[in-house]
Amino acid sequence: MDSNIPVTIKDVARLAGVSIATVSRALNESDVVKDQTRKAVLEAVEKLGYNRNEVARSLKFRQTRTIGIIAPELSNIFFMEVVEALERCLAPKGYSMIITSSYDSVEEEKRKLQILIERNVDGMVVMPSGSEGEHFLSKALSNIPLVLVDRRIKGLKVDSVETDNRFGVHKMIQALNNEGFSRIGFIGGDPDIHTAGERLHGYLEAMAEHNLPVEDRFVLHQGAMTQLNGREQLKKALSESDHPDAFFIANDSMHLGATIHAIENVQEQELKKLVFASFDYLSYAPLLKLCHYAVSQQFEQIGEEVAALLLKRLGGDWEDFPKHVMLRPEIKVIKANGGVPFEQGEQGLMENQADEGNTADLCSYF
Amino acid sequence: MDSNIPVTIKDVARLAGVSIATVSRALNESDVVKDQTRKAVLEAVEKLGYNRNEVARSLKFRQTRTIGIIAPELSNIFFMEVVEALERCLAPKGYSMIITSSYDSVEEEKRKLQILIERNVDGMVVMPSGSEGEHFLSKALSNIPLVLVDRRIKGLKVDSVETDNRFGVHKMIQALNNEGFSRIGFIGGDPDIHTAGERLHGYLEAMAEHNLPVEDRFVLHQGAMTQLNGREQLKKALSESDHPDAFFIANDSMHLGATIHAIENVQEQELKKLVFASFDYLSYAPLLKLCHYAVSQQFEQIGEEVAALLLKRLGGDWEDFPKHVMLRPEIKVIKANGGVPFEQGEQGLMENQADEGNTADLCSYF
DNA sequence: CTGAAAGCGCTAACAG
DNA sequence: CTGTTAGCGCTTTCAG
């Protein structure tokens, strides 16, 4: 009864007593075909449980309605928020997503790129794992729209969408300074990591901007941006008797680690004086009691911008290529922990800028 | 120079001065072809930047080397951990993954299922969004291996892999009882949600098992399993003057919410008495200071089991169909917060059981 | 060892 | 309105 080979358009045609062309037409340009015939076709389809073969259509049309995605790791919640937004924008247009992981290795990234090319994806979204990017210039890629997310690659003419990291850090330093801190430490990771580097630069720039002293002993930027490293870096900083009370911490994992270290090892008196500002505002933010200010990246918006850009290119519009969209993050002031809101004018300005950031291509923030 | 149409096997054949059949052979069964010819072909491939067209191969072979995935939401970190493990197992075998979201709607799940069928995926992994499952019996699906993750559907003969929720709850209740608590409250969600229901049942079973009193006023199982609801349910429980001190909380979001509520609203004296046990042990667990015990699901292992099962079916082995793999979660005792380790024998037993769980198909836990 | 030709399932001229 | 046919890019007999 249940034959094991799938039913094709041919089977439908035979059962409906028409030609395969008619079946095809009945299923697509339904207005050309006689009502009665279409009904017969549809009945046959129903009876046989026919599903159309997208692979065959893809071959014919030379397009797969598929977007390839390469992430450094799939369990990265940030990137998956972006992917979620992508799906929401692309699925209604008939696109599916093939998702792959580069395991943060450039070699693996190249391999996955090759696989996606062979699978004829119509477009690609890549969160690059390194700062190398020659493989994105592959000839095959010249026909495939590509959007880089979160990290741009130096000198590479490719569309990209990213958070304005430096803007976020500037705001954090400004807020801490505003609250009365002039000595502000930095806890981050190896500047070779794109976001680590951007945030370190932002920090240095902002400190200079506000004429604040940069004390090398308290500018810690080694190793991975992990919870463990966050613990250790803060421990190291606090081991110096004249450490600053305020720290900017470059990401959520390190922030978590630093907070845990502080809560577990610093005496009440000292603890009360400690103040953090950090990147990313996640579900457990209310437990990070030392945090006064946080930069909250707009992942959904990033996904939407990526999708819009991709769809534009897929539609054949290359007018403003390469476009680098830089989105302003939201700034959270955590009053419950002692964060001091920006002044009225300041705040208003910030909001305006943020609004511009939604749609415009911003490159500077002053 | 850069023609816009992709280079095909034909172009390679022409340049190499051979037939397309020879190109195909040179690229695949490399031993049949003369060394010299192969070299010529490979050179042409290089020169033209040829990439083979997987779509055409898929059509020919009637298989796409693609696995379709349906998740209730892509930003669900649990599921993405599973997907990450899947990628790690499947990618080396040449499989890619098409990932889609059902937005936790059965309707959308059906739609996505249809799309994946049309795209000729070789297999599917679905985390069902509801308890309905008739659509998984579709005729087209009879040829496509399908593995359900995290939730089984009543009476549906389909392979599945899930965490042994009840075992986890039993262990939590046992641990709390062991520590001296006989009154234990329950904070969870609407039992219609699969995990919420399983955990509620586990709680009721375990309480009966240990002859502990179930007080309806403190068995709260309404609404979504969200942070907000966690806050509110705990608040409600604590508003009764004779509330228990120990609570089992059914998932991480509610746990987070409950903890935040307690820290912010309960006085020191009361706070010290409060003890939680909960599902899921995440990066921020060290901040959940009321938590003595946690059930830590083995997502990686789940992914590996799913991959193994899928590959088995793809290899044509349907021997033990339908197979329901139930994996024992790891039990965390958080001593820093006051958790009391299981007794020696108990602990040993537990570890043994957990080891068995890695490989065996466990259905009961006593 | 290599080439010619059929065919995977579908669409789109082109004729009727 | 409908049928015939060529062809999307590739693999694979079947002959040489």
Side-chain angles (χ1 to χ4, degrees), chain A residues 19 21-22 25 33-34 37 59-60 62:
Chain A
S19 76
T22 300
R25 279 190 283 255
V33 81
K34 196 160 64 178
T37 356
L59 182 60
K60 180 74 191 171
R62 291 137 159 271

Side-chain angles (χ1 to χ4, degrees), chain B residues 158-160 305 309 312-313 320-325 359 361:
Chain B
V158 176
D159 290 321
S160 69
E305 289 286 343
L309 197 45
K312 187 176 185 179
R313 301 303 181 224
D320 49 5
F321 179 86
K323 187 174 180 188
H324 301 295
V325 179
T359 52
D361 186 351

Side-chain angles (χ1 to χ4, degrees), chain B residues 301-314:
Chain B
Q301 210 186 100
I302 292 177
E304 286 163 9
E305 289 286 343
V306 171
L309 197 45
L310 208 50
L311 288 169
K312 187 176 185 179
R313 301 303 181 224
L314 288 168

Side-chain angles (χ1 to χ4, degrees), chain A residues 76-95:
Chain A
N76 178 330
I77 190 160
F78 303 121
F79 195 69
M80 290 317 296
E81 296 268 0
V82 173
V83 172
E84 173 123 36
L86 275 178
E87 134 97 22
R88 218 185 317 269
C89 297
L90 296 176
K93 308 268 182 190
Y95 287 96

Side-chain angles (χ1 to χ4, degrees), chain A residues 105-353:
Chain A
S105 134
V106 175
E107 274 320 302
E108 189 64 19
E109 184 174 287
K110 285 181 192 168
R111 216 166 298 136
K112 294 298 167 63
L113 209 57
Q114 182 60 27
I115 287 172
L116 292 177
I117 289 169
E118 292 180 350
R119 283 177 178 267
N120 282 14
V121 295
D122 293 347
M124 280 198 210
V125 177
V126 180
M127 183 164 173
S129 66
S131 45
E132 274 179 74
E134 297 211 8
H135 47 298
F136 293 120
L137 265 32
S138 137
K139 190 174 167 193
L141 233 54
S142 65
N143 299 319
I144 306 178
L146 166 66
V147 180
L148 263 29
V149 183
D150 198 51
R151 315 180 193 174
R152 206 189 318 187
I153 290 181
K154 49 168 198 223
L156 204 66
K157 290 210 179 317
V158 176
D159 290 322
S160 69
V161 178
E162 60 189 317
T163 294
D164 193 338
N165 280 290
R166 298 196 185 195
F167 170 82
V169 186
H170 271 256
K171 281 294 172 189
M172 294 295 93
I173 299 302
Q174 185 185 327
L176 288 172
N177 186 31
N178 196 39
E179 200 183 316
F181 295 100
S182 56
R183 297 181 63 212
I184 302 171
F186 176 92
I187 291 178
D190 191 326
D192 281 354
I193 306 164
H194 177 84
T195 51
E198 284 294 296
R199 291 169 195 178
L200 174 59
H201 280 115
Y203 165 81
L204 294 172
E205 277 175 24
M207 292 298 275
E209 177 98 18
H210 292 278
N211 287 311
L212 301 176
V214 172
E215 304 165 78
D216 287 353
R217 281 179 307 151
F218 302 114
V219 179
L220 305 168
H221 49 75
Q222 277 173 357
M225 297 171 88
T226 61
Q227 187 173 327
L228 182 63
N229 198 26
R231 284 177 103 116
E232 286 172 354
Q233 301 280 30
L234 182 67
K235 185 176 173 187
K236 191 172 159 194
L238 297 187
S239 70
E240 312 248 1
S241 59
D242 62 335
H243 65 79
D245 291 327
F247 288 89
F248 168 75
I249 305 176
N251 86 340
D252 64 298
S253 296
M254 301 195 88
H255 186 191
L256 193 51
T259 303
I260 291 169
H261 171 79
I263 287 177
E264 291 178 355
N265 300 288
V266 176
Q267 299 103 295
E268 187 94 16
Q269 281 305 66
E270 278 284 297
L271 195 61
K272 270 185 189 156
K273 288 193 270 174
L274 234 39
V275 169
F276 294 160
S278 169
F279 251 72
D280 296 323
Y281 187 87
L282 305 177
S283 64
Y284 55 88
L287 293 177
L288 297 165
K289 303 306 276 185
L290 305 177
C291 183
H292 285 201
Y293 311 96
V295 180
S296 174
Q297 299 187 70
Q298 314 290 289
F299 300 107
E300 216 180 298
Q301 211 186 99
I302 293 177
E304 286 164 9
E305 288 287 342
V306 171
L309 196 44
L310 209 50
L311 288 169
K312 187 176 185 181
R313 302 303 182 225
L314 288 168
D317 181 351
W318 291 85
E319 189 195 354
D320 49 5
F321 178 86
K323 186 174 181 187
H324 301 294
V325 179
M326 194 167 281
L327 293 170
R328 296 218 156 163
E330 194 184 322
I331 306 298
K332 301 265 186 192
V333 176
I334 298 131
K335 295 178 201 165
N337 295 348
V340 176
F342 288 71
E343 288 157 33
Q344 202 57 39
E346 187 74 61
Q347 175 71 14
L349 177 62
M350 210 180 65
E351 283 177 356
N352 282 342
Q353 289 175 335

